[in-house]
Amino acid sequence: MAAPHPARRRVVSRRRAAASAITVVATVLASALAGLSAGPAFASSHREAPLISGDPPVDNTDVYAFVSPDRPDTVTLIANWYPFEEPNGGPNFYPWATDAHYDINIDNNGDAKADLTYRWNFRTDDRRGNNTFLYNDDPVTSLDDEDLLFRQTYTLSVIDRATGRVTNLVTNGKVAPSNVGPASMPNYRALRDQAITAVPGGKTFAGQADDPFFLDLRIFDLLYGKDLSEVGQDTVAGFNVNTVALQVPKSTLTLGGNPARNPVIGVWSDTERGSITLRTPGAERSLGADVQISRLGNPLVNEVVVPAGLKDRFNSLLPEQDRTVPALVNKVSNPEVPDLVQRFYGIPAPAKPRDDLSEIYLTGITRKSGDRIDLTLNSQLDNADVDPARFAPSEQLRLNTSIPVTARPNRLGVLGGDLQGFPNGRRLADDALDISVQALEGAAVSGIVKALAAGDRVDRNDVPFEAVFPYVALPNSKAVNSSSSAG
């Protein structure tokens, strides 16, 4: 395993220093038990990996990266956690974990290491004590309203790997609370807007939002019932997620601060926690060295590309380690889904190995890869100042920030002739499920597979996205099992 780069080195807090004796014992135990999978391991996306259900607050669901449509000199990064938040899930609702690091990483030179890491750390101010079970004890009209009894704040820092410098961008950011409902929060939009905080050249947001992913997850029932009869139901409609969003100038993210020469960046999110969870009656805390427990770049990779036996391991890998796991790389070039489609629907699977998928998921789309996709689009290899000898294939969501904002976006992104869409970054309205299935069926080389052109028949989100930052829709407040879930 490669040694952790400087951005992964952590400063031990005073609280952990005070518990140093316990930490030493815990670390020794962690080393002894590592090969036995003792304790929970974690995975990302919508509950697709075996052990994630034990800790949903740190479960990555989706990552988005796109040139901001209303501020085209900037890039917007969005990462979501905590899948399937039922709006009526009180009285505790859906807080961010306070013992975890929530990260968005940027690789602009193609070495599969984070050149920049944007990190959110959350704190809780719970004023309920022994007085009430209520999240709020009267209508809440502002984030400072004394009737809001459960509050969270955050620090947003950026770690620069080249210098090792850690810079705080926000020190006391206010989190938009869970949407309790219209009686408790009659103007939730005002609360959401108050949670938007300025950063140099842009802004950031942390809080609850409607889950922007839209798809029919009955793909897992033998690929939509073996006859495409099980389609048309948006599985995540009405559910919420916890969201962080960041909008910064292109020059902040690109290599050398020069988006004209080096427009391509790689993006992924992760969550880190202490290696040991110490539980005592009525309390728990994390101890030991921070370890990565969840990771997400391209959508659906861990769900439908990575086999079950590697899902938890994938979430522990840094991108620079991807190529050291041959079984993982093999599943990209020899995917299972086309074989299943051939088995159930008689559509011939493309010939293997699939260098087109290796390009989409591991290198970025570029003619320099020498494969069958005749397009130069979003590989760091195409940045003018990248050293090809240092380039390392790895699973990342890659974005060419120089592609102009599309006047009429196509939900199928690149496959629909819209080069600003997924897999060139990912916009909120990109139909990730249909694009991914078509890509797995070889559409990037041979064109749209007409027999599967209708996809899952879920072509847009159940509620409209916003036209301005943070772009995600307001969180739902009606129960998912009601006649109308959006609210």
Side-chain angles (χ1 to χ4, degrees):
M1 181 179 296
H5 57 66
R8 298 284 178 188
R9 296 172 186 154
R10 310 291 180 243
V11 177
V12 179
S13 68
R14 292 177 181 175
R15 175 175 64 81
R16 290 182 179 174
S20 60
I22 297 175
T23 301
V24 170
V25 174
T27 303
V28 172
L29 287 173
S31 299
L33 297 174
L36 301 178
S37 299
F42 302 97
S44 61
S45 294
H46 289 70
R47 293 172 53 90
E48 95 295 351
L51 299 174
I52 189 57
S53 59
D55 208 350
V58 294
D59 177 16
N60 300 75
T61 63
D62 288 284
V63 175
Y64 302 84
F66 52 91
V67 175
S68 310
D70 56 330
R71 293 191 60 195
D73 60 330
T74 68
V75 168
T76 294
L77 308 169
I78 297 174
N80 298 330
W81 282 265
Y82 215 140
F84 295 111
E85 294 180 2
E86 214 291 338
N88 296 163
N92 297 308
F93 294 96
Y94 305 100
W96 296 88
T98 57
D99 60 350
H101 305 308
Y102 294 88
D103 296 344
I104 296 180
N105 304 285
I106 306 296
D107 170 19
N108 53 37
N109 64 9
D111 64 358
K113 300 177 182 179
D115 298 294
L116 299 171
T117 295
Y118 290 92
R119 168 163 294 169
W120 287 258
N121 286 312
F122 293 89
R123 302 175 297 276
T124 294
D125 177 13
D126 190 345
R127 305 182 179 189
R128 294 173 295 183
N130 295 330
N131 298 318
T132 182
F133 61 85
L134 292 171
Y135 195 85
N136 55 287
D137 61 3
D138 245 335
V140 176
T141 58
S142 77
L143 297 182
D144 296 320
D145 194 320
E146 63 181 10
D147 294 314
L148 181 59
L149 302 180
F150 186 92
R151 310 173 184 207
Q152 290 195 296
T153 56
Y154 64 91
T155 297
L156 170 60
S157 57
V158 58
I159 304 167
D160 186 325
R161 172 175 165 257
T163 64
R165 183 184 302 121
V166 180
T167 303
N168 282 351
L169 303 179
V170 179
T171 57
N172 196 35
K174 296 178 180 179
V175 176
S178 294
N179 189 0
V180 177
S184 292
M185 298 172 178
N187 186 354
Y188 189 87
R189 178 176 293 279
L191 301 180
R192 198 273 292 275
D193 291 347
Q194 290 170 33
I196 297 174
T197 302
V199 298
K203 57 193 75 172
T204 188
F205 166 81
Q208 194 180 49
D210 167 75
D211 189 336
F213 203 8
F214 52 94
L215 78 170
D216 193 324
L217 275 174
R218 288 177 293 183
I219 189 172
F220 300 116
D221 185 16
L222 297 182
L223 295 180
Y224 300 115
K226 299 176 68 173
D227 59 359
L228 291 179
S229 62
E230 297 180 2
V231 293
Q233 174 182 309
D234 186 350
T235 305
V236 297
F239 288 102
N240 298 322
V241 289
N242 285 354
T243 293
V244 298
L246 177 67
Q247 187 176 85
V248 290
K250 294 177 181 179
S251 58
T252 301
L253 304 177
T254 50
L255 179 61
N258 192 333
R261 285 180 58 82
N262 305 300
V264 178
I265 59 174
V267 183
W268 71 96
S269 66
D270 71 73
T271 327
E272 294 185 355
R273 255 189 177 159
S275 57
I276 292 292
T277 299
L278 179 64
R279 292 183 175 89
T280 57
E284 70 175 39
R285 57 177 172 164
S286 295
L287 301 171
D290 291 329
V291 295
Q292 180 176 291
I293 56 178
S294 186
R295 166 190 171 188
L296 191 72
N298 288 282
L300 298 166
V301 168
N302 208 356
E303 286 169 311
V304 300
V305 177
V306 179
L310 290 176
K311 289 182 183 297
D312 294 316
R313 186 176 182 187
F314 175 79
N315 283 281
S316 72
L317 293 174
L318 303 178
E320 66 197 79
Q321 299 169 322
D322 288 347
R323 57 181 171 165
T324 69
V325 185
L328 179 63
V329 176
N330 182 63
K331 275 299 181 181
V332 175
S333 57
N334 296 275
E336 180 182 9
V337 168
D339 294 336
L340 294 174
V341 171
Q342 179 172 306
R343 173 183 164 193
F344 298 134
Y345 296 104
I347 299 172
K352 299 176 182 178
R354 296 289 301 281
D355 55 0
D356 57 325
L357 295 183
S358 296
E359 191 172 358
I360 291 171
Y361 292 121
L362 299 179
T363 68
I365 299 172
T366 173
R367 289 190 178 96
K368 291 182 179 180
S369 70
D371 75 8
R372 294 175 295 165
I373 303 179
D374 187 22
L375 180 66
T376 291
L377 182 61
N378 67 341
S379 175
Q380 292 104 322
L381 281 169
D382 296 314
N383 286 340
D385 298 322
V386 161
D387 179 0
R390 297 182 59 197
F391 183 84
S394 64
E395 198 280 305
Q396 304 177 29
L397 180 67
R398 292 175 171 85
L399 172 68
N400 185 336
T401 64
S402 70
I403 303 296
V405 173
T406 306
R408 298 174 63 88
N410 188 303
R411 70 177 181 88
L412 294 180
V414 174
L415 296 183
D418 180 357
L419 296 184
Q420 206 209 9
F422 178 66
N424 179 33
R426 182 183 177 190
R427 302 166 299 191
L428 292 169
D430 288 339
D431 195 337
L433 188 283
D434 283 1
I435 296 171
S436 297
V437 170
Q438 286 286 339
L440 287 165
E441 289 298 302
V445 175
S446 304
I448 296 294
V449 179
K450 293 182 180 180
L452 299 172
D456 64 350
R457 297 188 184 275
V458 180
D459 296 342
R460 62 188 60 83
N461 197 40
D462 57 311
V463 291
F465 297 120
E466 303 280 335
V468 297
F469 185 88
Y471 305 106
V472 289
L474 296 175
N476 303 285
S477 63
K478 294 182 181 179
V480 172
N481 62 2
S482 65
S483 58
S484 175
S485 58

